[in-house]
Amino acid sequence: MSEGLRLNSILVPLDSSVLAEHALPTGAMLAARAGVALHLVSVQEPLVTPYGMEFPALFLELRDEQREHLAQYLARASEAALRADAPTVRTALLDGIVARELGRYIQTEGIDLVVMTTHGRGGINRLWLGSVADRLLRTVRTPMLLLRPTDGGVPLSCRRILVALDGEIEEEVLDAALGLAALLPPATLVLTRIVEPPVPVVTRLAVRPARFGADWTERHEIEARNYLARLAERLRAPGRIIETQVLVGRPVAEEIVSLAHAIDADLIVMGTHGARGFERLLLGSVADKTTRISDVPLLIAPVRRLAGKEEPVPATSGLAHMTPAAVGTGLW
């Protein structure tokens, strides 16, 4: 079993807002504890005019002023990160579409962890940081630590980490949880599975989940408990505290967030397959929904797809290659 994230570099995207800067203390702290480089990156988006029109000189001057502002901003952010004990700070000012350029930078530089602040809820909160995080979760194969603005811009501390598992392929999620827990001791890992009961249907005899059998939920709850018990036994090590929780309910995302509040978790760790296009529209994503409703910080780890849908994971993904964990029922 791997001991977690192989951190060689951490990225904090910045857009010169106070909200974005809330991720800086946590990024600097993790870089200091891991002894790795901290990358601070801003992106200047291109000016857009109607087809065939030239940019007025005033626009070009404003663009140059904005670039100079961002360069000075990155220099100040770098100084703040160094004061927070980040061992090495690198800055980059990119040009282009924000999420696309950040994705290219992550791949080119071999970034192992992205730390950023995002509201995750609707409306205005879906602007820059929210939409960028949403896009990156679907286009890069790098774990992302999503902080909330209520964290007040202080370094993340974790006493209890809720690790949400779906029983399919868990190694990337466990890898991320173990790696972060090692950097934030002492942290208790609470492994959880949410069993979704089947939707009841009306039969000639009663209202019950006829297609699955009356004991379907009970059987899967027992399987989930046994699965987590075996996994916890495998993960236990000196100084590492593991607990388990199995819940029955729906929708899964809301159950995860409710459990995080109930156990006073400081962080939720879960995986995503990065569903896109029609697949996302049809199936949705538990990680996506949790990201949008949770006020608890999240660590989202990209996971390889199941047989027949496997996607290559670049060596720079920051995840150690491990023997596949026990396969469960894959209820999500």
Side-chain angles (χ1 to χ4, degrees):
M1 175 71 64
S2 167
E3 289 303 310
L5 289 165
R6 292 176 178 171
L7 286 181
N8 293 299
S9 55
I10 297 173
L11 167 66
V12 175
L14 297 171
D15 67 347
S16 76
S17 69
V18 174
L19 176 62
E21 291 175 28
H22 281 186
L24 193 54
T26 295
M29 178 267 293
L30 293 175
R33 295 191 179 185
V36 302
L38 177 66
H39 294 243
L40 307 180
V41 178
S42 287
V43 182
Q44 184 177 29
E45 294 191 273
L47 294 175
V48 178
T49 64
Y51 178 76
M53 293 183 61
E54 295 184 359
F55 288 106
L58 177 60
F59 278 25
L60 298 177
E61 291 178 10
L62 290 175
R63 182 193 60 185
D64 293 341
E65 289 179 6
Q66 181 189 33
R67 187 171 187 83
E68 180 62 25
H69 168 75
L70 286 173
Q72 294 176 1
Y73 168 75
L74 283 174
R76 292 193 298 271
S78 176
E79 293 173 359
L82 289 171
R83 288 195 299 271
D85 296 329
T88 303
V89 179
R90 300 174 184 170
T91 62
L93 178 51
L94 311 177
D95 293 285
I97 305 302
V98 177
R100 182 188 305 164
E101 295 306 317
L102 287 176
R104 288 174 178 170
Y105 187 90
I106 288 168
Q107 293 183 347
T108 301
E109 298 296 325
I111 299 298
D112 300 309
L113 177 67
V114 177
V115 182
M116 63 188 300
T117 317
T118 176
H119 281 290
R121 297 174 184 267
I124 193 171
N125 299 334
R126 299 302 299 161
L127 297 177
W128 206 89
L129 291 173
S131 60
V132 169
D134 184 75
R135 180 64 178 168
L136 288 178
L137 284 171
R138 282 159 181 76
T139 56
V140 303
R141 311 300 292 163
T142 301
M144 294 183 59
L145 177 57
L146 304 179
L147 306 175
R148 299 314 191 193
T150 53
D151 300 332
V154 298
L156 179 69
S157 62
C158 289
R159 293 163 297 142
R160 297 175 71 79
I161 299 176
L162 180 63
V163 185
L165 304 170
D166 68 359
E168 291 185 343
I169 299 178
E170 314 286 23
E171 63 265 31
E172 293 92 346
V173 180
L174 294 172
D175 209 21
L178 291 172
L180 204 64
L183 295 176
L184 299 169
T188 296
L189 295 179
V190 182
L191 311 181
T192 188
R193 282 282 304 278
I194 310 296
V195 177
E196 283 189 284
V199 178
V201 296
V202 178
T203 71
R204 288 179 297 176
L205 300 178
V207 177
R208 66 182 181 87
R211 286 199 313 135
F212 299 94
D215 63 341
W216 188 95
T217 299
E218 182 180 356
R219 287 188 289 107
H220 282 80
E221 185 178 2
I222 293 173
E223 290 176 7
R225 293 187 187 281
N226 292 338
Y227 163 75
L228 289 184
R230 293 193 302 270
L231 189 56
E233 186 62 29
R234 235 172 77 209
L235 292 177
R236 285 194 175 94
R240 182 186 293 166
I241 303 174
I242 307 289
E243 299 177 3
T244 62
Q245 285 270 3
V246 173
L247 294 181
V248 176
R250 67 171 59 242
V252 173
E254 293 183 6
E255 292 292 335
I256 291 172
V257 175
S258 294
L259 178 58
H261 289 157
I263 67 171
D264 197 23
D266 304 293
L267 178 71
I268 298 171
V269 183
M270 61 193 313
T272 179
H273 291 299
R276 285 171 281 178
F278 181 74
E279 179 184 357
R280 179 188 174 196
L281 179 65
L282 181 65
L283 301 178
S285 163
V286 172
D288 180 74
K289 293 172 184 175
T290 305
T291 300
R292 295 174 189 275
I293 68 173
S294 176
D295 55 357
V296 179
L298 294 105
L299 176 60
I300 308 294
V303 299
R304 292 188 293 274
R305 293 175 182 270
L306 298 179
K309 295 183 180 181
E310 193 100 357
E311 288 185 349
V313 179
T316 59
S317 67
L319 300 177
H321 297 286
M322 299 161 45
T323 302
V327 176
T329 55
L331 301 179
W332 297 356

